[in-house]
Amino acid sequence: MGNSFDSWFSYETLLTATWSPDAGVVVTSSVLPVAWARALERIGRDLRVRHFNGAIASIRFEAEHRQIREDDELDYVWLSSDVTPEGGVSHGMGHSGEGVLATAGEEAVAVSCANLVQDQIERTGIQWPRGRAGGAMSAVLLGGIATWSGRDGEKAAIGSLPT
């Protein structure tokens, strides 16, 4: 029984990548559709702007899924992040939130990954991305487009967040 339980909850890494302010997102390995790399590149552009209460030195990413699923049609993938603030230490790989289907389109992948990354960044004490009116912006799907939405109505497509 131990082997069955262990294998049910074992995860397989499908994508690894890094982000830094200078290099942006660098995908080091991936077996996921190209939509995942494009979504991460868009998030990477936005990671350069709108920090509050600190800056981010680097992030390591791992996209994982359960190796054993009841149905391959339900192949959900979660993006885990290990965030290192400037002048700080790594906070360890983690994720908290909902995954997205491995075969989802770029916009859905961008929203899921942005939410998961944002959560891990906030665990370091840094708020990102900060809206012009203050407070964190939320990643949402609006009209089929992955969008940052601020509490004052500010909106920007993920990947095009202005300074």
Side-chain angles (χ1 to χ4, degrees):
M1 176 150 162
N3 288 341
S4 175
F5 180 82
D6 291 342
S7 62
W8 179 257
F9 290 101
S10 65
Y11 288 86
E12 176 182 24
T13 300
L14 304 174
L15 174 145
T16 59
T18 59
W19 176 86
S20 69
D22 294 334
V25 169
V26 177
V27 175
T28 51
S29 70
S30 179
V31 296
L32 288 169
V34 70
W36 284 80
R38 287 195 306 249
L40 277 178
E41 288 166 2
R42 289 168 59 189
I43 293 165
R45 286 193 294 271
D46 290 344
L47 281 166
R48 290 187 169 114
V49 299
R50 304 262 189 118
H51 304 130
F52 177 74
N53 199 37
I56 303 164
S58 64
I59 303 175
R60 283 187 319 112
F61 299 110
E62 291 181 0
E64 303 173 309
H65 73 154
R66 281 197 181 129
Q67 286 184 307
I68 297 177
R69 297 170 298 283
E70 291 179 16
D71 184 348
D72 278 341
E73 300 278 322
L74 301 175
D75 187 8
Y76 282 87
V77 177
W78 289 265
L79 184 71
S80 295
S81 304
D82 177 9
V83 179
T84 303
E86 258 184 27
V89 297
S90 159
H91 279 248
M93 191 65 70
H95 68 263
S96 178
E98 295 183 23
V100 67
L101 288 171
T103 57
E106 181 178 338
E107 302 305 315
V109 171
V111 169
S112 174
C113 291
N115 282 317
L116 291 166
V117 171
Q118 183 180 41
D119 178 72
Q120 293 304 305
I121 291 170
E122 287 178 358
R123 290 172 188 267
T124 70
I126 299 169
Q127 186 181 71
W128 170 85
R130 183 164 174 86
R132 288 196 176 127
M137 298 181 81
S138 301
V140 295
L141 203 56
L142 291 177
I145 304 296
T147 304
W148 291 114
S149 179
R151 66 182 183 194
D152 65 345
E154 177 187 5
K155 299 198 181 350
I158 291 179
S160 66
L161 196 59
T163 56

